[in-house]
Amino acid sequence: MHSINVGVSTLGLLAVLAAPILAQESSYFVMYSTDPVVVERVDPLLSAGKVSNHEHSVIGGNGFAASMDFAQTQTATCATIPVKADKSNYWFPSLYYQSPHNGSFYRAKDNSNTRIYYKFGTGNNGPDLERSEFPKEFRMITGNALLRHDDGSMGSPGNQLNWMCHDGGQNPRATGFPTGFTNCDAQGFAATIRFPSCWNGKDFDPAAPQAHMAFPINQDGMAGCLAPFNVKRFPEIMIEYWLDISQFTGDYGPNDKPWVLAPGDNTGYAFHADFINGWEVGVLANAMKTCRVGNTPEPLDSSTCFGANSLYTDAEKHACSGSVKDIVPEDTGTGTFIKALPGCNPIQPGPGDATIQTNCPNVVTSFDGSTGKVVSSPAETTTTLATSASSKTTSQASTSTSATTTKTTAATSPSETSSSGDTTSGGPSSVTAADGSTWVAAGCYVDTVNPRTLPNNGWWGNPITNSECAKGCSKNGYSVSGAENGGQCFCGNSISSAKAPSSDCNSACVGDSSQKCGGPARLSVYKKSSSAKKARAHRHLERHRQAVS
């Protein structure tokens, strides 16, 4: 497997540090993408024809494949971006939420708001006529998948990696993952990164993937590209990768960093992006001369940009999302919690650079493109974990280089009993909690997520099951519990959302795989029985009576 250290070249970094990029953004256009054409471990730049080290979210044309050249990009029949002439692909590592309760991972939802900026302006607010379109077989990378600290380049002018929570208030941001927020419900969570634009005329080399490119200094035209990166200057591409993390609201605090990038990075510094050119010849070159959508209300299909009938409709873009067939048969954590990141990617928190891991069991390592058959690493020995509150879950929740998948079996505590029977909520028909109260299965319900149907966090220490969730909610003084998506627990005193089919609550509980703990935006609900409420009210009144007697 090729190295995935994709940091900027030395000369490129010198160019970055020489002077900041200032006003060279006056002429530009923006393309909005819908959800990815595919999400999987494929990277035709660094792992051509092979299974990639880590998972990517891929946008652009549906010609995307494990091995690509310009001709392959031109096979695209649709795209998630609007300009029909751009059959390029752009990809970046997926973002995961790591549950603070059990260490499992859930892929954050794409926001359908990801943006691709093409910038080609001068300092005097006009188009830079010395910019060139990309050659047919052009490809490039920005960022470093192994980085785990700010090395002085990622946050500087150039890459300008930036994470930001758009919470409608302070909008905290940082080069790595920011803190200081409890939700990004206003607009979402976003990463921004720039590509270099100065080229030395050489082909892309997977062994040195950024050796052919450098960032410009603050001068217009070719004067902004230092030798030997002054063969051509391209438009500057900037990616804004937008994510919807609203479903995790209420599950983390302002000082938490529960985010993990697909390469096993919980710092945010490993964000990177890949580009393979698929622009139809001549289209981008012509657009850069006159298209200035960034400064005017001018639409992309105006005569000065891409012309009439040049754009996909929003409906056509949405229809293209997910249109590339998966090659790697594995669970990507889209819509459900998974115990380990796809591939062999244990969390490596740094601050030193991460190393590529290869010792993970049950991981797809290669595939045969002609037969579709895959090869996996040897299977593991299943480990049963202890069920105390201090139990460890998957080793990816630590800094270990092993990604051994584990199975947890929850034991019933001495102070809690359960009876079998009706499983409309995915678990036992009733639960007796530590305080003696009885909780009865109420069925599967919709979680409206924003806001939460049950607004309070009910986890109390043990691996989540329906029983443990009810027990935790009872301990915290609530009368309704809801286990969600296999590993989450929420509490409240009433539930007003719609009831869902019991089949919607189909996620196995992380604490007991024989139980179903809700599903994506679905709650397995238990309610404290009225007799228990009456008994509690009676005890409350009795205490008051004794206090005044």
Side-chain angles (χ1 to χ4, degrees):
M1 182 176 292
H2 296 302
S3 167
I4 54 172
N5 187 324
V6 292
V8 296
S9 65
T10 303
L11 284 174
L13 179 58
L14 291 173
V16 171
L17 299 179
I21 299 173
L22 297 176
Q24 299 179 11
E25 302 178 2
S26 54
S27 292
Y28 63 94
F29 60 85
V30 188
M31 297 186 291
Y32 287 74
S33 176
T34 53
D35 289 350
V37 289
V38 70
V39 175
E40 68 175 340
R41 284 194 296 125
V42 172
D43 183 344
L45 269 62
L46 294 179
S47 304
K50 302 176 182 178
V51 176
S52 173
N53 169 268
H54 56 269
E55 183 190 273
H56 298 100
S57 296
V58 185
I59 61 175
N62 68 344
F64 186 78
S67 296
M68 292 190 74
D69 56 12
F70 182 78
Q72 178 62 32
T73 67
Q74 300 306 294
T75 66
T77 57
C78 67
T80 65
I81 53 180
V83 180
K84 293 178 180 179
D86 185 11
K87 297 177 171 65
S88 307
N89 286 109
Y90 313 76
W91 60 98
F92 18 80
S94 294
L95 179 74
Y96 284 83
Y97 176 78
Q98 185 176 26
S99 169
H101 313 312
N102 55 45
S104 59
F105 300 89
Y106 193 105
R107 182 178 171 274
K109 185 181 184 301
D110 295 83
N111 198 332
S112 289
N113 197 28
T114 292
R115 306 166 192 180
I116 306 171
Y117 292 77
Y118 272 72
K119 304 182 179 184
F120 41 89
T122 64
N124 65 359
N125 203 37
D128 188 341
L129 299 180
E130 294 186 27
R131 302 291 180 108
S132 300
E133 66 178 4
F134 301 108
K136 281 186 176 182
E137 301 298 342
F138 183 80
R139 53 197 68 193
M140 63 177 168
I141 294 176
T142 187
N144 184 348
L146 301 179
L147 196 65
R148 298 295 187 271
H149 67 284
D150 188 350
D151 66 352
S153 67
M154 296 307 294
S156 66
N159 292 74
Q160 290 188 331
L161 173 62
N162 179 74
W163 287 93
M164 183 174 180
C165 169
H166 298 258
D167 63 359
Q170 297 298 315
N171 296 327
R173 67 175 69 198
T175 302
F177 293 137
T179 56
F181 62 93
T182 57
N183 75 83
C184 299
D185 295 352
Q187 288 182 286
F189 196 41
T192 302
I193 196 167
R194 296 172 184 257
F195 284 88
S197 57
C198 296
W199 184 44
N200 65 5
K202 296 183 179 180
D203 292 337
F204 176 86
D205 180 1
Q210 281 203 333
H212 65 318
M213 296 297 295
F215 289 93
I217 62 172
N218 186 33
Q219 292 189 43
D220 296 336
M222 292 307 302
C225 293
L226 302 181
F229 299 93
N230 57 349
V231 174
K232 285 188 178 181
R233 184 172 181 178
F234 303 126
E236 177 189 286
I237 300 176
M238 185 177 82
I239 302 284
E240 281 186 6
Y241 181 34
W242 283 74
L243 298 142
D244 180 356
I245 59 171
S246 60
Q247 65 193 107
F248 312 119
T249 297
D251 205 38
Y252 61 92
N255 297 318
D256 295 335
K257 287 185 178 181
W259 320 110
V260 181
L261 285 168
D265 170 39
N266 62 356
T267 70
Y269 293 114
F271 189 75
H272 56 283
D274 298 43
F275 166 72
I276 185 165
N277 177 45
W279 280 95
E280 294 178 4
V281 176
V283 174
L284 182 58
N286 289 332
M288 287 192 293
K289 297 174 184 177
T290 56
C291 187
R292 299 178 61 188
V293 174
N295 291 342
T296 71
E298 181 180 28
L300 282 174
D301 59 356
S302 68
S303 60
T304 57
C305 287
F306 297 103
N309 303 314
S310 62
L311 307 181
Y312 289 115
T313 65
D314 285 345
E316 289 171 329
K317 289 163 55 184
H318 280 289
C320 198
S321 295
S323 61
V324 174
K325 183 180 179 180
D326 291 337
I327 298 174
V328 184
E330 62 186 352
D331 192 341
T332 63
T334 302
T336 185
F337 276 94
I338 53 178
K339 294 180 179 180
L341 294 170
C344 189
N345 291 290
I347 292 178
Q348 299 183 68
D353 285 358
T355 55
I356 298 175
Q357 303 296 303
T358 58
N359 61 338
C360 301
N362 285 336
V363 171
V364 176
T365 57
S366 62
F367 65 89
D368 185 331
S370 60
T371 65
K373 293 182 178 180
V374 298
V375 176
S376 297
S377 54
E380 69 199 345
T381 300
T382 300
T383 303
T384 300
L385 301 182
T387 57
S388 68
S390 61
S391 296
K392 292 181 180 179
T393 55
T394 172
S395 62
Q396 286 209 14
S398 68
T399 58
S400 168
T401 59
S402 172
T404 302
T405 305
T406 58
K407 294 182 180 179
T408 308
T409 302
T412 302
S413 67
S415 60
E416 175 191 11
T417 60
S418 61
S419 61
S420 61
D422 180 13
T423 57
T424 56
S425 289
S429 59
S430 65
V431 174
T432 302
D435 64 356
S437 62
T438 299
W439 290 64
V440 179
C444 185
Y445 282 78
V446 172
D447 184 358
T448 54
V449 179
N450 185 22
R452 290 284 184 188
T453 296
L454 298 175
N456 304 289
N457 192 341
W459 182 80
W460 70 287
N462 282 355
I464 293 298
T465 65
N466 289 291
S467 304
E468 293 294 339
C469 184
K471 183 177 178 180
C473 291
S474 178
K475 182 178 181 180
N476 289 320
Y478 299 105
S479 58
V480 180
S481 71
E484 182 168 343
N485 230 354
Q488 295 172 287
C489 175
F490 299 99
C491 307
N493 290 313
S494 64
I495 186 162
S496 58
S497 66
K499 203 164 186 178
S502 59
S503 58
D504 282 8
C505 288
N506 56 10
S507 295
C509 304
V510 296
D512 181 356
S513 60
S514 68
Q515 293 188 32
K516 303 298 183 184
C517 286
R522 295 295 185 268
L523 296 159
S524 291
V525 172
Y526 282 72
K527 296 181 180 180
K528 186 176 287 189
S529 69
S530 58
S531 59
K533 293 179 183 177
K534 290 178 181 177
R536 185 175 64 179
H538 175 76
R539 291 193 298 270
H540 179 75
L541 290 173
E542 183 63 17
R543 285 196 297 272
H544 277 282
R545 186 191 67 76
Q546 292 175 355
V548 296
S549 61

